[in-house]
Amino acid sequence: MAALVQQLASLAQTCFDEKQDTVSEEPFKNVLSAMNTIQAKHLNFDPSTVKVNDSAGGAPVTFIHVYKNDIFSMRIFVIKPSGRIPLHDHPGMFGLCKVIHGSVHLRSFSEVEEQGIQDTCFQSRENHSVLKSVRLHQDMIVTSSDDCCFLTPREGNFHEILPVQGMAAFLDVLAPPYNPGRDCHYYDELGNDVSASDAADESVRWLRQVPTASDYWCDRLVYKGPSIEC
């Protein structure tokens, strides 16, 4: 029988299409079900191999490349106790996140129809172009015993991930994958101080695009799990 991670990859290959921003319900459910079965042992991931160094110069996140083709990518991210995955987006992408070690605090947002902006400090075309109006989608603690979380091109597409009480690791599946023409953007949360009008929806929050955070970078480990072919 094929390794569970190979089964997951085969289902992802069938489910996702690089030219579409929608998926069929049944194939997507199959991917979610397979993702929920994945544990650290199925990837031969050993947390003790990750160097945790909170002193100056130590990478706050470790990245492990698992698999990538034109349809999807699979990666493992290990967040050190003082690290984080900053608030960012996944333009036009589906994403699945399965915690395989420890626990994480996940906050995600969905973009809403653009609102008008009153505040004069945001009036310029340049600043206006990097603002996103969003609503909170999820704010939760996720452990290795929980089902995977997922985002779509329209729901929960902006998110940030922080470890809870020590190092955490998760398997990440993105479809389509990042490439030179498709990259993520990073954001600061402005809250709901930037309002459109007195009648504006108070649940709307604002995100401002910013450069990559100076406290976020990755070192790498080699993937030692089962080989994958699609």
Side-chain angles (χ1 to χ4, degrees):
M1 180 180 293
L4 287 179
V5 66
Q6 174 65 66
Q7 296 177 35
L8 170 62
S10 297
L11 290 168
Q13 181 77 10
T14 300
C15 175
F16 299 111
D17 186 320
E18 62 178 325
K19 298 179 181 179
Q20 298 184 8
D21 62 357
T22 60
V23 295
S24 299
E25 182 177 358
E26 195 62 31
F28 190 58
K29 284 184 177 179
N30 291 338
V31 174
L32 291 176
S33 179
M35 190 77 166
N36 290 337
T37 68
I38 296 296
Q39 301 175 26
K41 63 183 180 181
H42 302 131
L43 302 162
N44 288 343
F45 171 70
D46 181 356
S48 68
T49 64
V50 179
K51 183 178 181 182
V52 178
N53 183 2
D54 288 336
S55 62
V61 177
T62 292
F63 170 85
I64 304 171
H65 170 76
V66 177
Y67 180 80
K68 180 179 179 180
N69 63 16
D70 291 339
I71 303 298
F72 71 98
S73 64
M74 301 176 67
R75 305 95 53 85
I76 297 169
F77 285 91
V78 186
I79 313 177
K80 315 293 177 60
S82 60
R84 63 174 180 138
I85 307 291
L87 183 61
H88 63 286
D89 63 3
H90 298 270
M93 303 160 77
F94 291 85
L96 298 89
C97 171
K98 177 65 174 74
V99 177
I100 59 173
H101 176 76
S103 58
V104 301
H105 180 194
L106 170 68
R107 295 175 72 243
S108 64
F109 301 87
S110 300
E111 189 169 6
V112 298
E113 185 175 350
E114 186 174 357
Q115 311 281 312
I117 300 175
Q118 280 189 334
D119 298 55
T120 56
C121 61
F122 296 104
Q123 287 286 348
S124 76
R125 179 177 301 178
E126 178 182 1
N127 283 335
H128 191 175
S129 68
V130 296
L131 288 178
K132 298 286 186 179
S133 52
V134 299
R135 285 192 181 92
L136 184 67
H137 179 68
Q138 289 180 318
D139 187 349
M140 58 194 299
I141 303 297
V142 187
T143 74
S144 57
S145 61
D146 292 323
D147 287 347
C148 70
C149 301
F150 67 90
L151 59 86
T152 75
R154 298 178 180 85
E155 296 183 352
N157 198 270
F158 303 79
H159 71 180
E160 63 178 355
I161 305 175
L162 294 86
V164 178
Q165 295 181 341
M167 186 176 72
F170 61 90
L171 176 66
D172 179 70
V173 174
L174 291 178
Y178 288 125
N179 60 40
R182 182 188 297 108
D183 202 357
C184 70
H185 310 92
Y186 294 91
Y187 297 88
D188 276 343
E189 184 180 354
L190 302 178
N192 57 6
D193 295 334
V194 184
S195 58
S197 68
D198 292 339
D201 187 338
E202 292 185 358
S203 70
V204 171
R205 304 177 181 218
W206 293 90
L207 307 181
R208 176 177 56 193
Q209 187 175 328
V210 295
T212 305
S214 60
D215 64 349
Y216 173 64
W217 72 98
C218 301
D219 58 15
R220 289 176 176 259
L221 280 179
V222 174
Y223 171 64
K224 297 182 178 180
S227 60
I228 297 172
E229 296 182 3
C230 288

